[in-house]
Structures are given as structure tokens and as C-alpha cells.
Amino acid sequence: MMTYSWVVPLIVFVAVIVLMIIAISRWKIHPFLSILGSALVLALLMGIPLRSVADVIGRGFSTIFASIGLVIILGTLIGLILEKSGAAMRLAEAVLRRLGKKHPQLAIMLIGWIVSIPVFCDSGFVIVNPIRKWMSRKSGVSSVTMTVALAAGLYAAHVFIPPTPGPVAAAGMVGLGDNLMLVILVGVALSVFPLSAAYIFANRVGKKVHSSDETEDADIAELIDGKNLPSALLSVLPIIVPIVFMGIGSLVSVLKLEGIVADILFMLGKPVIALAIGVICALPLLKFIRKDVKAASSGLYAITEDTLRTAGPIVFITAAGAVLGQVIYDAGFVELIKSNANFFSALGILFPFLIAAILKTAQGSSTVAMTTTAGIMGMFPSSESLMSALGMTTPLSAAFVVMAIGAGAMTVSHANDSYFWVVTRLGGLNVKDGYRTQTKVTMIMGVVSAAVLYVASLMI
């Protein structure tokens, strides 16, 4: 049971979080300013010395640029190259050729899941939507079923699996910036459960909801083979190579290998180096971008500009979340958790899930929900973080927290979420049917993921 002395600080904390949500969702203030402003208000209300406020903000802000900023930028760069070169379409085609005829729903779901590992789910849906239409027409499977399956596949990878910026940022902010391989493995394993639930739901809802979606009478060759697309090998290398290097680096660390070779492998396994190698592997794809690009350097320059425009807001919002996390510690909230450990430990892994779910549902952005919640949780090795206060002090438990944050960040997608509109409009759904499909499936996926994580957390 919580002590009375913490009632007022807890009310202040809740009030500031509500203020932040209102600022983002109703007043339409940019999340960066809303989160940073909320952190400043919290610092002042909780009595942090005025001379120390600037230092607290600086410490929180700088940690992101020192740890995870480059990883977010490099991961976004790889994703944009894969998107603009048609490599993402080629990866989709590879899955389609193997599963499309017999299991179209599963095929489109896996296509979405794979494409969204490097590419944002919004862009991924736009890229794969022509294939979804074609598969629905050829197989006779409901267009709504295919839409829900594709949207679910894209969303699972978007919130669970690096190098998508959301999970990369969350992993870095909880102290797993150098152990992304663990996050990837846990994310892949966890994806099975919400995707299975989404698959069942997609098949059922497709019988009840109908779409105005009209498919064109086109052959799959016109959608894929007629384009100047890279080979499957070139398309997959920028994803596989960094994962392999990160895996090797993790193995070197676990086995405590020493020597010059071990040092080189450990360096190559660092996420920032591994993703830089992934960028190098992606460079041959530049020649497939479009015919009017005369030199690869011109294409790379333009894509790098797009990358900085895309990743910049994510990095700065992530930094603002880290500031909020630093203020939470300096204001004494970690001590609140520790002194009332029995109360908060009952929630366990559901604690970050609920925070992320509230933020997601209120303001719409999964990435904002993930980075803000991760900033609140802090780093697992630090005794000064909420992670430590809740007993989440191992890399595996920290990976579970990242997954719980991701599960909350998909719960739920509705009218304040850009992805909701991408799915409903391209899927030929009206708003009412969007709530019956996209909103329901994200609720199911989030709750199933949280339930699986809760059970698993009791076993570790």
C-alpha cells in the first residue's frame, strides 16, 4: 500500500503527463516541445533547484546523441534505400512466390512483417498494397481479410523489431543500445503470438466487413517483373549483414573471447558499425532508384537528405523523452517506486505497457509513445531508474520491457493515427469499418502481446 507522503507527488506526475497528452493531441503542439515543456514543468513543480534544472535537461538530452542517435539515422537510411530502390518490393515478391498461391493471407502478412523491419509501416503499406490487391483478386480471399493481415504484419515489425526507429530508440533508452541482437530475437519470437491472433481475426472479420476496394485487371508480372528491381540477394543483404555482425559481436561478448580477432568482431558487432556496413551493402541498390539519376552519389545525397528529415524528429523526440526520464529521477520518483515496491511490482511488465498504451491511444504516434515511455523507464543497469526500482535489471528483462512498450504503442490505432488513415483509405474502408478492423486488430495484438509477456516475465 502506498504511503500518504507520495500522494501529492503522484498527482503532480499524473497531471503533467495528462498536460503533455493534451498538448500533443488537442493543442497540436509538436511532441518535442510538448515532452520537453512537460519535463520542465515537472522539474519546477517537484522542487528541483532552479540552478540545477538546466543541467538536468542537458544530461538527459545528451545521452541520446551519445548512444542511439546514429543508430536511428543509419537504420532509417537503409530503410529509405530499400524503399526507393524497389528492394522492399523484391523482398515481398520472394515471399509471394513461395506462399502466395496456397496461403495468400499468411503470405501478405509475412510480406508486411519483413518489409516493415527496415521500412516505416505507413510507407510499407503503400509499397505492398498493389500486391495485396492482386492477391485478393487472384485468390478470391476477401479484400478486407488481406488488408487486415497486411496491416498487422507491418505493425508487428514496426513496434518490435530493430532497425525500425521506434524499437531502436526504446532499446537504446533502456540500456540495450549495444545489444540490439537480443531485442531482434525477442521481437521475432514475440511476433508469432500477436500475428497468430491477427490472422484468426482477419479471416473472421473479412466475412462481416466489406470493402469498396476495386482491383485492377493486372498481372503480377506488371506489378513486379516489369519493373527494374534489384535481385533478391542484393535486396536482403542490407538487412541480413548487420544482423549477422551484431549476432557475432554478441557471441564474442557472451563467450568473453579475447585477442585482436575478437576485438575486431566485437567492434563490427556494435550496432552503429553493423548498420554502417548495412548502408555500404545497400549502396549497389542506388542504381535501381530511377533512370533519371545519372550518378549514384546524386541518389545517395537526395536519400540522405530525406533520411535526416525523417530521422531528425525521431532523434529529437527521443532526446526529449530522455530529458523527461532524467527529471523523473531527479524529482525523486524512483524512490517513490522503491519505497512502494510491493504496489508497483504487482503490475510488473504491465507497467510500461499501460503507460505506452495510454500515450498511444491519446496522441496517435507509436514512435512518440515508445520513446516517451522508454525515457520514463530509464536504463536497466542504473540504480537510479524505474527499471531498477521495478526489479528489471537484466538484459533479458530489459528486452521484455522494450517489447511491452512496443505492445502498448500499438494499442490502439484509431483516427488520430496516420497509419489508421493509410490502411482505411488504401484498403477501401470507411471510418466505421476502420474501427471494426484496424482499431480492433491493434487492440487484439497489443493485449495478446502484453499477456504473453506477462506470463513469460513470471518465468525469468
Side-chain angles (χ1 to χ4, degrees):
M1 191 173 191
M2 297 190 67
T3 60
Y4 178 78
S5 60
W6 283 108
V7 172
V8 173
L10 191 59
I11 291 174
V12 170
F13 173 73
V14 172
V16 169
I17 296 300
V18 170
L19 175 65
M20 179 183 70
I21 292 171
I22 292 174
I24 296 172
S25 60
R26 180 169 297 181
W27 298 339
K28 306 302 180 185
I29 299 175
H30 194 280
F32 172 73
L33 295 176
S34 299
I35 298 170
L36 198 60
S38 299
L40 179 59
V41 170
L42 183 63
L44 296 176
L45 291 178
M46 291 303 300
I48 292 178
L50 294 179
R51 294 190 179 188
S52 302
V53 170
D55 292 336
V56 172
I57 292 174
R59 287 202 307 273
F61 200 80
S62 62
T63 55
I64 293 305
F65 292 90
S67 59
I68 206 69
L70 274 177
V71 174
I72 294 174
I73 293 171
L74 292 174
T76 304
L77 179 57
I78 292 173
L80 284 177
I81 293 176
L82 291 175
E83 175 186 339
K84 293 181 180 297
S85 66
M89 182 70 84
R90 178 60 76 190
L91 293 174
E93 181 264 350
V95 176
L96 178 64
R97 297 294 185 192
R98 288 161 177 77
L99 293 175
K101 292 182 179 180
K102 295 183 178 180
H103 307 284
Q105 304 99 310
L106 178 61
I108 202 68
M109 181 176 281
L110 290 178
I111 286 171
W113 185 76
I114 292 171
V115 167
S116 196
I117 291 175
V119 178
F120 281 93
C121 59
D122 302 63
S123 300
F125 197 95
V126 175
I127 293 168
V128 182
N129 192 51
I131 295 179
R132 177 195 65 81
K133 288 185 174 184
W134 180 88
M135 289 177 67
S136 176
R137 180 176 60 83
K138 285 291 185 180
S139 65
V141 174
S142 162
S143 174
V144 172
T145 294
M146 299 294 283
T147 294
V148 173
L150 173 58
L154 288 160
Y155 216 21
H158 182 75
V159 299
F160 289 144
I161 305 176
T164 307
V168 165
M173 295 176 79
V174 302
L176 292 175
D178 290 334
N179 202 354
L180 289 182
M181 192 64 206
L182 174 62
V183 181
I184 291 172
L185 291 175
V186 175
V188 169
L190 177 62
S191 294
V192 173
F193 299 95
L195 289 182
S196 298
Y199 181 83
I200 295 171
F201 174 78
N203 282 295
R204 291 182 177 178
V205 78
K207 299 175 183 178
K208 301 176 182 178
V209 177
H210 300 285
S211 169
S212 63
D213 189 24
E214 295 180 0
T215 57
E216 298 178 359
D217 187 15
D219 190 86
I220 192 64
E222 296 179 14
L223 295 175
I224 298 177
D225 296 334
K227 295 185 177 182
N228 180 30
L229 297 181
S231 67
L233 179 61
L234 279 178
S235 300
V236 78
L237 280 179
I239 302 174
I240 294 298
V241 170
I243 291 175
V244 169
F245 276 117
M246 283 189 283
I248 293 173
S250 297
L251 191 63
V252 169
S253 179
V254 170
L255 297 179
K256 297 181 180 179
L257 301 179
E258 297 181 356
I260 184 64
V261 175
D263 290 344
I264 292 173
L265 292 176
F266 183 78
M267 179 195 71
L268 295 177
K270 287 284 187 178
V272 65
I273 302 298
L275 287 172
I277 296 171
V279 171
I280 294 173
C281 292
L283 294 181
L285 297 172
L286 292 172
K287 66 180 180 181
F288 296 96
I289 292 176
R290 60 180 191 270
K291 295 180 180 179
D292 60 332
V293 175
K294 301 299 182 182
S297 59
S298 300
L300 181 60
Y301 186 93
I303 291 179
T304 303
E305 285 284 303
D306 288 344
T307 296
L308 295 178
R309 279 192 290 268
T310 301
I314 297 171
V315 173
F316 281 99
I317 291 171
T318 302
V323 171
L324 180 58
Q326 187 67 48
V327 169
I328 285 171
Y329 167 71
D330 281 54
F333 285 99
V334 171
E335 292 303 319
L336 180 154
I337 300 293
K338 289 181 177 178
S339 62
N340 298 277
N342 291 334
F343 177 84
F344 287 101
S345 61
L347 287 174
I349 201 71
L350 298 180
F351 183 76
F353 167 78
L354 290 173
I355 294 176
I358 291 170
L359 290 170
K360 164 63 181 178
T361 304
Q363 53 78 43
S365 170
S366 295
T367 302
V368 170
M370 293 188 74
T371 54
T372 305
T373 306
I376 291 172
M377 296 302 296
M379 295 195 173
F380 80 91
S382 172
S383 60
E384 303 174 350
S385 69
L386 291 186
M387 295 280 283
S388 174
L390 291 170
M392 300 167 184
T393 56
T394 66
L396 183 58
S397 64
F400 275 34
V401 169
V402 174
M403 296 300 109
I405 292 171
M410 67 163 61
T411 315
V412 294
S413 174
H414 61 99
N416 64 358
D417 180 9
S418 63
Y419 190 49
F420 174 87
W421 295 108
V422 170
V423 173
T424 53
R425 288 173 178 173
L426 294 182
L429 299 167
N430 58 39
V431 175
K432 178 181 177 181
D433 289 336
Y435 277 101
R436 296 173 66 189
T437 55
Q438 175 66 0
T439 301
K440 278 190 177 180
V441 77
T442 54
M443 172 64 80
I444 291 169
M445 293 174 71
V447 171
V448 167
S449 300
V452 171
L453 286 167
Y454 182 75
V455 172
S457 69
L458 299 177
M459 303 177 181
I460 63 172

